[in-house]
Amino acid sequence: MAHVVFLRAANVGGRNVFRPARLAADLAHLDVANVGAVGTFVVRAKTTEAAIRREILAQLPFEPAIVVRPASEILALVASDPFRGVSLSRDLRGWVAALSGRPKARLELPLTSPRGKDWSVRVDRVEGVFAMGLWRRRPQGFVYPNEFLEDALGLAATTRYWETIQRLAALLED
């Protein structure tokens, strides 16, 4: 069974710098594909989540939080079409966060930051180990979904825009 790997806080702000294409090449024995988003990979070899983590950590000079999910979960997520009816654009983007575990508390959704009608980030759904919502460009400043979500849930998470999740599904279907 294939897996999808999400690295948290890699190649961000000049910290935890690595070359995703080189990592994929170094893990060629696992049939790894670099998806092009920083720290997002498909592992096609039949192996375990623990083995994938070990292999990745052995190649990196830092220890990132790593979320590994079965490919079937990504395919099911895309098939659920969570942004149906929303006109996504450069100024309104869908996002999905892979969570480091299942949230212990239920959130009252939607949850927004900042609060009110002038929000920049909105959490609309939390299902299993995925949270999803919308990011909206505002002239008052940028709120990144991950920071807000981690504070709200009390868990580590790593966020990708919806286009990346769709690219993952396309790779997995090939």
Side-chain angles (χ1 to χ4, degrees):
M1 169 200 323
H3 289 84
V4 175
V5 177
F6 302 95
L7 302 185
R8 182 185 178 281
N11 286 346
V12 176
R15 295 185 338 218
N16 297 336
V17 176
F18 79 110
R19 295 181 187 264
R22 171 157 299 161
L23 178 62
D26 290 344
L27 299 176
H29 62 284
L30 294 177
D31 193 8
V32 173
N34 173 26
V35 178
V38 175
T40 308
F41 304 91
V42 171
V43 177
R44 292 188 186 102
K46 290 184 181 179
T47 188
T48 65
E49 178 182 331
I52 292 168
R53 285 176 188 281
R54 262 192 321 276
E55 294 263 2
I56 290 171
L57 290 172
Q59 297 295 324
L60 294 175
F62 59 94
E63 190 169 332
I66 303 172
V67 177
V68 180
R69 302 308 314 157
S72 59
E73 290 183 6
I74 301 301
L75 293 170
L77 178 62
V78 171
S80 76
D81 197 11
F83 300 104
R84 181 180 327 127
V86 178
S87 295
L88 298 176
S89 68
R90 188 172 163 257
D91 294 329
L92 181 67
R93 298 180 76 182
W95 57 265
V96 174
L99 308 175
S100 62
R102 293 187 184 273
K104 292 173 183 32
R106 289 187 59 104
L107 296 177
E108 178 110 6
L109 300 175
L111 187 62
T112 62
S113 178
R115 293 186 184 267
K117 64 180 173 131
D118 198 26
W119 57 268
S120 179
V121 172
R122 189 174 78 199
V123 181
D124 293 316
R125 291 169 61 182
V126 178
E127 294 179 8
V129 294
F130 294 108
M132 47 220 104
L134 296 170
W135 171 87
R136 181 169 69 180
R137 188 179 309 278
R138 315 175 24 236
Q140 298 90 334
F142 184 85
V143 177
Y144 188 64
N146 210 67
E147 294 172 46
F148 172 61
L149 184 64
E150 287 182 335
D151 286 345
L153 294 177
L155 300 168
T158 184
T159 302
R160 302 296 186 273
Y161 287 114
W162 182 239
E163 308 90 85
T164 301
I165 302 301
Q166 290 175 310
R167 267 192 313 234
L168 283 167
L171 265 174
L172 294 166
E173 289 171 342
D174 284 346

